[in-house]
Amino acid sequence: MPDMMSTGISGLRALQRALDTTSHNIANAGTEGYSRQRVEFQARVPSQYGNGWVGNGVEAAAVRRSYDQFLVAQTRVSGGTAERLNEFAAQAERINNLLGDPSTGLSASTQRFANALQGVATTPASIPARETLLAEGAQLAQRLNDYDNRLRTLDRDINARFAVEARDISSLAANIAQLNGEITAAYERSSQDPNDLLDQRDRLIDQISRKLNVSVVPENRTVLNVFVGNGQALVLGTAAAEITVTRDRFDPERQQLALQTPSGPIDISQNLSGGSLGGLIDFRREMLDPARNALGRMAT
């Protein structure tokens, strides 16, 4: 039977839960990826009294995150796009500094050779003009070789970045798969969302999305599956795939990204986009390779 004391105590207990949650929010104000939490209240089951019902106060029904799945997905896409553009711009600046310098760049070197060639054409019998042409030609040849070596170094740097990023993504995927299992177990014990574990998993997915675009598909209330490329599974439930580097079959000096499967590695480099890895892949395809090809044609 309800009484004023128990009803008042129910309010105190519910507000205590709210104060605990507020304290938790304040303590994690600077925690990366933390979502503010709030307590949802509901009336307790009333008691029948005579011909009517008398309320029994209030209780804290659940603690929810302030979370919008749509906004999170849009943030991941925007963040991945920004990382791709930043990486592409940083790598493009390296080529620009190498070839576009007004005093030591490719244009200046070819202009000096063209001037020397014009000098010989104007005065073909001049020995100094001929010597200048030979010297400028040798210097241009050396400069072209230097440019080619520098561009090859850029390619090797990308190979090294691929190896590092592959290990990082594989580690993040393994942690996400582990959290899928922990979140499922926690929900089965309490039928409530383990908010802090959910935040940890979202933060890991955010970190992967800054490296490459991912598709996140919920399997049920507790599990998130992560896909990359054209739908290759990176995380399925509590199982995580591994991303490795393999040699390009057309260029043994070049590394490609592959998804390790029981049937062998699957090349996914051509299907990846967005993030810092997407920026590296786009830079190599759209700037580095054309620059090396143009340099080779010029040398020929």
Side-chain angles (χ1 to χ4, degrees), residues 2-18:
D3 60 73
M4 182 176 62
M5 184 65 68
S6 64
T7 299
I9 291 175
S10 73
L12 291 175
R13 288 175 175 172
L15 292 176
Q16 179 65 47
R17 177 68 62 84

Side-chain angles (χ1 to χ4, degrees), residues 101-273:
D101 189 276
S103 58
T104 62
L106 182 59
S107 177
S109 300
T110 55
Q111 185 62 51
R112 286 194 296 268
F113 177 76
N115 292 339
L117 190 62
Q118 181 63 38
V120 172
T122 303
T123 57
S126 173
I127 299 301
R130 294 181 180 185
E131 292 177 347
T132 300
L133 175 60
L134 292 175
E136 289 294 341
Q139 186 175 3
L140 178 59
Q142 181 62 44
R143 186 60 57 85
L144 291 175
N145 286 327
D146 290 341
Y147 288 149
D148 183 65
N149 290 332
R150 292 287 298 276
L151 293 178
R152 289 178 182 272
T153 299
L154 287 179
D155 203 9
R156 288 193 293 270
D157 289 346
I158 292 177
N159 289 339
R161 283 284 303 277
F162 278 180
V164 172
E165 298 289 3
R167 288 194 298 268
D168 290 345
I169 293 173
S170 298
S171 177
L172 292 171
N175 291 334
I176 292 172
Q178 179 181 352
L179 282 170
N180 276 340
E182 294 177 0
I183 290 170
T184 299
Y187 185 79
E188 289 175 350
R189 289 195 301 269
S190 65
S191 297
Q192 296 291 334
D193 294 334
N195 296 314
D196 295 328
L197 293 179
L198 295 176
D199 284 343
Q200 292 179 30
R201 184 175 62 184
D202 285 338
R203 185 170 67 252
L204 295 179
I205 296 176
D206 290 343
Q207 292 177 14
I208 293 182
S209 69
R210 289 196 288 269
K211 298 179 182 297
L212 76 166
N213 283 347
V214 297
S215 299
V216 180
V217 179
E219 182 177 330
N220 48 46
R221 185 182 178 90
T222 60
V223 172
L224 292 180
N225 297 323
V226 182
F227 300 89
V228 298
N230 287 338
Q232 288 81 15
L234 182 62
V235 178
L236 272 180
T238 57
E242 181 182 3
I243 292 184
T244 60
V245 291
T246 59
R247 293 190 181 278
D248 191 326
R249 56 179 179 171
F250 300 112
D251 185 354
E253 295 184 356
R254 173 163 291 184
Q255 301 284 355
Q256 300 283 10
L257 291 169
L259 190 70
Q260 196 67 35
T261 66
S263 58
I266 299 176
D267 185 3
I268 59 174
S269 295
Q270 303 303 319
N271 302 323
L272 297 181
S273 62

